[in-house]
Amino acid sequence: MAQKLRIAVLFGGRSGEHDVSLMSARSVLAVLDPEKYEVTQVGITLDGEWLNGDNTLESFAQGNTGKLNRVVLPSEPSHSALYILKQNGSGEMLEKLADVDVFFPVLHGPFGEDGTLQGLLELADVAYVGAGVAGSSVGMDKGIFKDVMRANGIPIVESLLVLRGEIEKDINAVIEQAEKIGAYPLFAKPANLGSSVGISKCNSRSDLGEGLMEAARYDRRIIIERGVGSVREIEVSVLGNENPQTSVCGEVLPSREFYSYESKYVDGTSGLIIPAQLPAEVSDRIREYAVRAYKAIDCAGMARADFFLNGETNQVYLNELNTLPGFTSISMYPKLWQASGLTYAQLVDRLIELALERKTQRDHTEHRRLA
Ligand SMILES: Nc1ncnc2c1ncn2[C@@H]1O[C@H](COP(=O)(O)OP(=O)(O)O)[C@@H](O)[C@H]1O
Ligand SMILES: [Mg+2]
């Protein structure tokens, strides 16, 4: 019998989406076929420690990680393995835990989805699911992402990037500049976060003052954006490397005034409509923009492309690409694929194939001039 593919599933992590990641990982682990895969679980704590042991995921879910072992991925190539860091007298030693063919980060937000982890995986020269360093970090940074979209002629909402230092120095000058973007409501957002953390919808000048201060708690760089009127939120799933495919479109119906943190994770009543009720011309346009954006940031594996649609004019704006979208079996990303004919298990298999394909391409790339 052919050797099983050895997969390391990484979950948890240092971001505010730690708990969401545990839920996504539970779904992924449940469908990794034991006939095909040998799976090692690695939980990452909120402090950034990598851990493994019996029932790693359950230990994390119960907040009971004391009995787990510290795990290390060496940063140099040629190991393709995880090691346990063992206490050895007064020192520490490494003992091999598992050889790994493919790393599957099921991590959302900073330190998982933003290119930092991907940098480590590149240094270690291992195959991994999802976008590389640049695709991940551009997907995470709302400021740079918008500039790349503008350069590629993909419609986005008018916006302004300001630094925390400018807000601290003269907030009224920032507000004056922001008001040139358009009429209220304006949105204030930290450039590098997710889950709507630090985001405010500002209906007035005083709201904007508060919104800027709030966003500046979470990042040095802050985006101010014109609010889209009669907004509908349309999402599409993208899958592939150099020839990405798109799913049908879905629509999110937030339970609150906008798709805030509470609406996403507290209420549990935000609705998903799949497929979204849209004229074919509009959904075609959305899918085409999604593919162009995906290629523009050199995305790989998967992304969920989130759009704003003005419900009166049908004007479409790309909001963001999430390179490691929510991945529970009831999340939008896999549900859109399900509605497009790909089961959750098939999707996970395909992501692993794409990771191996990308690694093969990397192996065919010279990193220096050969004599
Ligand atoms: N320009 C905008 N116009 C209308 N609604 C917006 C706008 N920007 C953000 N929102 C609302 O705020 C939510 C979160 O913003 P988003 O940019 O998607 O941040 P995150 O990366 O945290 O998901 C959106 O899903 C939407 O409900
Ligand atoms: Mg969003």
Side-chain angles (χ1 to χ4, degrees):
M1 197 189 120
Q3 220 196 342
K4 291 184 193 177
L5 211 55
R6 297 159 302 186
I7 311 288
V9 178
L10 312 184
F11 50 78
R14 293 169 64 185
S15 84
E17 288 159 283
H18 180 99
D19 292 335
V20 184
S21 159
L22 300 185
M23 290 189 270
S24 295
R26 170 161 297 137
S27 295
V28 170
L29 290 166
V31 297
L32 282 171
D33 182 354
E35 299 283 315
K36 281 199 284 196
Y37 305 115
E38 210 170 286
V39 178
T40 303
Q41 300 183 19
V42 178
I44 303 177
T45 66
L46 282 164
D47 295 327
E49 271 190 339
W50 292 34
L51 301 175
N52 165 274
D54 291 336
N55 293 320
T56 311
L57 179 66
E58 288 318 314
S59 307
F60 268 71
Q62 289 158 19
N64 178 22
T65 55
K67 291 211 177 73
L68 302 176
N69 298 306
R70 300 265 305 277
V71 172
V72 174
L73 171 67
S75 58
E76 71 261 40
S78 87
H79 285 270
S80 282
L82 289 163
Y83 293 81
I84 292 179
L85 190 63
K86 284 224 155 139
Q87 210 63 40
N88 178 22
S90 58
E92 288 172 323
M93 59 174 270
L94 296 181
E95 185 177 281
K96 191 182 273 189
L97 168 66
D99 290 307
V100 179
D101 298 308
V102 179
F103 285 76
F104 197 145
V106 188
L107 295 159
H108 312 302
F111 305 110
E113 187 178 351
D114 63 351
T116 50
L117 173 76
Q118 289 71 17
L120 173 63
L121 297 170
E122 291 282 336
L123 286 174
D125 202 21
V126 295
Y128 58 94
V129 169
V133 174
S136 300
S137 56
V138 176
M140 179 63 66
D141 189 297
K142 296 186 197 307
I144 295 172
F145 180 76
K146 285 177 191 297
D147 287 343
V148 175
M149 294 306 116
R150 283 190 186 101
N152 283 276
I154 296 166
I156 51 161
V157 175
E158 297 85 330
S159 66
L160 174 72
L161 178 91
V162 297
L163 300 179
R164 180 195 284 151
E166 297 174 65
I167 294 171
E168 285 166 353
K169 193 165 145 229
D170 188 349
I171 192 166
N172 290 322
V174 170
I175 290 174
E176 222 168 90
Q177 223 188 330
E179 287 177 342
K180 292 189 186 135
I181 304 173
Y184 289 101
L186 298 171
F187 281 78
K189 315 179 178 182
N192 276 284
L193 260 187
S195 289
S196 303
V197 172
I199 296 186
S200 310
K201 179 175 181 178
C202 311
N203 289 307
S204 65
R205 188 171 279 197
S206 71
D207 274 6
L208 182 58
E210 284 170 32
L212 289 170
M213 303 288 281
E214 172 71 5
R217 287 175 55 197
Y218 296 99
D219 205 336
R220 283 176 38 249
R221 294 160 66 253
I222 292 99
I223 295 281
I224 307 158
E225 216 174 273
R226 179 174 72 74
V228 175
S230 309
V231 70
R232 292 174 68 185
E233 302 198 42
I234 308 295
E235 305 187 343
V236 61
S237 295
V238 189
L239 178 68
N241 289 339
E242 291 184 358
N243 290 305
Q245 308 295 308
T246 51
S247 69
V248 298
C249 296
E251 179 163 6
V252 179
L253 296 182
S255 58
R256 302 213 178 186
E257 171 144 3
F258 70 98
Y259 205 24
S260 59
Y261 183 88
E262 289 72 21
S263 173
K264 284 177 181 172
Y265 304 118
V266 180
D267 301 352
T269 53
S270 293
L272 308 185
I273 301 177
I274 300 172
Q277 297 304 302
L278 293 172
E281 178 271 319
V282 175
S283 58
D284 288 350
R285 202 152 27 109
I286 285 175
R287 293 167 76 177
E288 186 210 320
Y289 288 142
V291 168
R292 277 171 51 195
Y294 192 89
K295 290 182 173 173
I297 70 166
D298 190 31
C299 204
M302 67 178 143
R304 196 190 69 225
D306 296 354
F307 290 84
F308 297 138
L309 174 69
N310 181 316
E312 277 163 25
T313 63
N314 273 351
Q315 173 72 43
V316 165
Y317 306 91
L318 176 58
N319 176 34
E320 56 178 345
L321 283 190
N322 290 286
T323 54
L324 280 165
F327 210 84
T328 71
S329 54
I330 58 161
S331 298
M332 184 64 114
Y333 183 84
K335 282 188 80 168
L336 286 174
W337 279 121
Q338 217 174 353
S340 311
L342 200 64
T343 67
Y344 189 89
Q346 288 168 332
L347 176 61
V348 167
D349 287 347
R350 181 74 189 127
L351 287 167
I352 290 168
E353 280 170 18
L354 289 166
L356 289 167
E357 177 191 299
R358 183 97 159 156
K359 172 74 166 79
T360 305
Q361 286 177 341
R362 215 161 72 220
D363 291 343
H364 286 149
T365 307
E366 305 293 352
H367 297 291
R368 57 184 174 272
R369 214 182 106 190
L370 295 179

